[in-house]
């Protein structure tokens, strides 16, 4: 999996219920054609990053087929999740 592009936006919590800051990352990712995640229209990874003080973590993520906009029910492996977290932290 390779991240080829991204966009970021801060998520506002008008209720004040959520502590810290939240950011939504939309990551364009490429995977090999033989990967089970491969889609012809392309793949996007939506990541909600939680920043509370010195701690930054992935609060939520999902894969989206860019062509159909369907959510794909796949999970990141532990090393992939760490890579995505590091990438997002570097872009903040």
């Amino acid at each position: 999996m390779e991240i080829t592009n991204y966009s970021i936006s801060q998520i506002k919590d008008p209720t004040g219920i959520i502590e810290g800051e939240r950011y939504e990352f939309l990551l364009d990712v490429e995977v090999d054609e033989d990967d089970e995640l491969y889609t012809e229209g392309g793949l996007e990874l939506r990541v909600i990053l939680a920043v509370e003080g010195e701690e930054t973590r992935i609060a939520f993520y999902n894969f989206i087929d860019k062509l159909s906009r369907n959510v794909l029910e796949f999970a990141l492996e532990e090393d992939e999740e760490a890579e995505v977290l590091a990438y997002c932290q570097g872009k903040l």
Side-chain angles (χ1 to χ4, degrees):
M1 181 175 78
E2 179 184 350
I3 299 170
T4 60
N5 200 9
Y6 77 98
S7 65
I8 180 176
S9 59
Q10 186 170 12
I11 299 173
K12 303 287 185 197
D13 177 20
T15 64
I17 294 173
I18 299 173
E19 290 187 29
E21 298 175 337
R22 299 291 184 270
Y23 297 91
E24 178 184 53
F25 282 82
L26 298 176
L27 307 175
D28 290 333
V29 295
E30 285 185 11
V31 295
D32 294 332
E33 285 187 38
D34 59 344
D35 192 303
E36 64 185 345
L37 277 172
Y38 179 80
T39 63
E40 275 202 39
L43 191 62
E44 185 174 75
L45 179 59
R46 178 176 178 254
V47 178
I48 304 298
L49 201 68
V51 179
E52 298 175 49
E54 296 296 315
E55 181 186 350
T56 303
R57 63 182 173 81
I58 294 176
F60 175 81
Y61 68 86
N62 58 18
F63 287 98
I64 301 168
D65 180 322
K66 289 172 73 173
L67 188 60
S68 69
R69 301 307 299 165
N70 289 332
V71 173
L72 306 175
E73 299 296 326
F74 289 97
L76 290 168
E77 293 180 11
E78 198 172 302
D79 61 328
E80 292 172 325
E81 190 169 330
E83 183 180 322
V84 168
L85 178 58
Y87 181 89
C88 293
Q89 285 176 311
K91 300 299 181 186
L92 275 181

